Amino acid sequence: MPASSTDLRHDWARTDIAGLFDLPFNDLMFRAQSLHREYFDPNEVQMSTLLSIKTGGCPEDCGYCAQSAKFETPVKAEKMMSVEAVLAEAKRARDAGASRYCMGAAWRNPKDKDLDAVCQMVEGVAALGMETCVTRGMLTDAQARRLKESGLDYYNHNIDTSPEFYGSVISTRTYQDRLDTLAHVREAGINVCCGGIVGMGEARSDRIGMLQTLANLPVHPESVPINMLIQTQGTPVYGIDRLDSLEFVRTVAVAKIVMPASVVRLSAGREQMNDETQALCFLAGAGSIFIGPKLLTTKNPAKERDDALFARLGVRATRVADKTPRRHQAAE
Ligand code: SAM
Ligand code: DTB
Ligand code: SF4
């Protein structure tokens, strides 16, 4: 077990991770929170805001996603937003307290012309004093280098689930394609944001497999989003049984234990969670959330609800000046 920053592991066996999931809940929470405190201020939460810069019409078939052109969903394809419109939204998000702006596009892999516009958005958002994050599908090494040159801080690209379950959710790109993109991002010197999605009917063994893949990457992702499935009519996973909220909290806690220096993000699904479940996620070591009324295409809690929750919990926003994960990977 990692006991300190000098001890980050990359050789997790599935049985080790299964043993963590099986711990009595109180022991699991104690372990996760104790490790979290070694690396982070336990009462600070980093806040990002998302914007969909190119919505819908995506050629991929991710079975959870309302933006895939393969499914009949309420989300319709739109053109890419202009650089000016994106920067106006980013300024609003900064003024509402977000320290990072994440721009998402429903592309399989972008054309060079589109990448030019994304680079201008990154430069403009950075000039507003915010960290930048982009998520827009697969990247070649040259594209990753180009984004790095524009000043991009983070690239989000999730492995989503275990290698075995992956094929029942997505058929248009492979697990290896995703790992290749992550390697290009890492090699370009961009911080990696990589996690997954739970509540799609996967087994606990798949949640274990997903966390094993993440924790055994050569360098842990700096940011690890754990998304609770938001169900949208028309997607293949619509109507599936909701994952037990304590199993979701366990997943957050185990992610923290296997990657203690990473920022685990309580990502999609907060709108459907009560305050108590969110509080347990913070106790389990979640150190980051999305704020603002919308994720990409779905609802996120309103500012008033989040403000009330943070006040009840005594949670503060991480200041931009404190943005670098403390001691991250220092001993690797
Ligand atoms: N199109 C890009 C891609 O897939 O790389 C970026 C955007 S995609 C929306 C980013 C991640 O959001 C997905 O990998 C998935 O983990 C998560 N996500 C997408 N739809 C979701 C949903 N309905 N509920 C929860 N998480 C979701
Ligand atoms: C991530 O892991 N979750 C965010 C972000 N990365 C891009 C996206 C959540 C999307 C939820 C569904 C929607 O709003 O369309
Ligand atoms: Fe496209 Fe991303 Fe949705 Fe998959 S998750 S269908 S790649 S927008």
Side-chain angles (χ1 to χ4, degrees):
M1 280 317 110
S4 75
S5 58
T6 55
D7 211 13
L8 292 185
R9 278 182 59 183
H10 299 266
D11 61 349
W12 289 92
R14 288 210 182 185
T15 46
D16 298 336
I17 302 178
L20 295 171
F21 266 98
D22 285 341
L23 283 172
F25 189 77
N26 291 342
D27 292 344
L28 176 61
M29 297 299 277
F30 181 73
R31 288 262 284 272
Q33 175 63 206
S34 303
L35 270 169
H36 185 54
R37 280 165 187 259
E38 280 198 33
Y39 292 87
F40 299 97
D41 182 327
N43 300 310
E44 279 193 354
V45 172
Q46 187 273 328
M47 301 190 186
S48 298
T49 291
L50 269 167
L51 177 69
S52 180
I53 60 167
K54 158 71 186 87
T55 302
C58 184
E60 304 280 359
D61 68 351
C62 311
Y64 47 75
C65 185
Q67 300 199 68
S68 168
K70 316 262 187 206
F71 318 131
E72 248 332 291
T73 76
V75 175
K76 296 296 159 234
E78 292 172 19
K79 286 214 287 250
M80 182 163 69
M81 288 175 70
S82 70
V83 175
E84 297 69 35
V86 170
L87 297 185
E89 291 291 336
K91 194 163 177 306
R92 256 196 288 279
R94 181 195 64 184
D95 295 345
S99 64
R100 188 180 307 161
Y101 204 58
C102 306
M103 294 162 274
W107 280 316
R108 176 175 164 80
N109 43 5
K111 299 187 210 95
D112 284 346
K113 176 171 71 67
D114 295 328
L115 196 59
D116 284 341
V118 173
C119 289
Q120 286 172 35
M121 292 171 192
V122 168
E123 283 162 15
V125 172
L128 292 172
M130 299 170 90
E131 290 185 305
T132 53
C133 178
V134 166
T135 177
R136 27 126 287 180
M138 294 189 283
L139 281 187
T140 63
D141 52 355
Q143 291 171 330
R145 283 199 302 272
R146 199 142 151 241
L147 282 166
K148 172 69 184 173
E149 279 159 22
S150 74
L152 182 67
D153 294 307
Y154 287 81
Y155 193 80
N156 166 243
H157 195 64
N158 293 341
I159 55 162
D160 278 346
T161 188
S162 67
E164 319 74 277
F165 193 66
Y166 184 88
S168 33
V169 182
I170 299 147
S171 75
T172 47
R173 67 178 125 158
T174 65
Y175 212 69
Q176 189 57 48
D177 288 333
R178 294 195 183 233
L179 295 173
D180 291 346
T181 290
L182 292 170
H184 296 149
V185 172
R186 179 60 78 202
E187 280 157 21
I190 301 169
N191 290 309
V192 172
C193 173
C194 181
I197 167 169
V198 299
M200 301 186 292
E202 77 285 346
R204 178 183 272 185
S205 57
D206 296 307
R207 295 186 281 280
I208 292 169
M210 172 179 90
L211 294 180
Q212 183 194 34
T213 301
L214 294 169
N216 289 349
L217 287 170
V219 179
H220 293 166
E222 281 76 7
S223 170
V224 180
I226 305 292
N227 295 279
M228 176 75 120
L229 173 69
I230 299 173
Q231 301 203 6
T232 308
Q233 205 155 9
T235 56
V237 293
Y238 183 69
I240 215 143
D241 283 350
R242 204 179 145 75
L243 184 71
D244 169 40
S245 50
L246 292 185
E247 179 68 9
F248 182 82
V249 175
R250 280 184 184 273
T251 307
V252 170
V254 175
K256 173 50 55 175
I257 293 171
V258 297
M259 295 169 282
S262 301
V263 177
V264 176
R265 181 185 303 272
L266 166 55
S267 195
R270 288 200 306 116
E271 171 71 3
Q272 292 76 20
M273 276 174 212
N274 60 25
D275 283 6
E276 290 73 11
T277 301
Q278 295 186 60
L280 285 173
C281 289
F282 295 131
L283 194 62
S288 165
I289 54 168
F290 289 114
I291 57 166
K294 210 168 162 198
L295 292 167
L296 290 172
T297 65
T298 60
K299 274 173 80 178
N300 201 41
K303 183 171 172 15
E304 298 67 38
R305 182 179 163 205
D306 274 347
D307 285 349
L309 172 66
F310 305 145
R312 283 177 85 191
L313 301 178
V315 159
R316 303 180 300 273
T318 307
R319 283 176 296 121
V320 185
D322 301 336
K323 64 192 180 185
T324 310
R326 277 198 288 158
R327 300 198 288 166
H328 181 77
Q329 313 287 3
E332 293 200 326

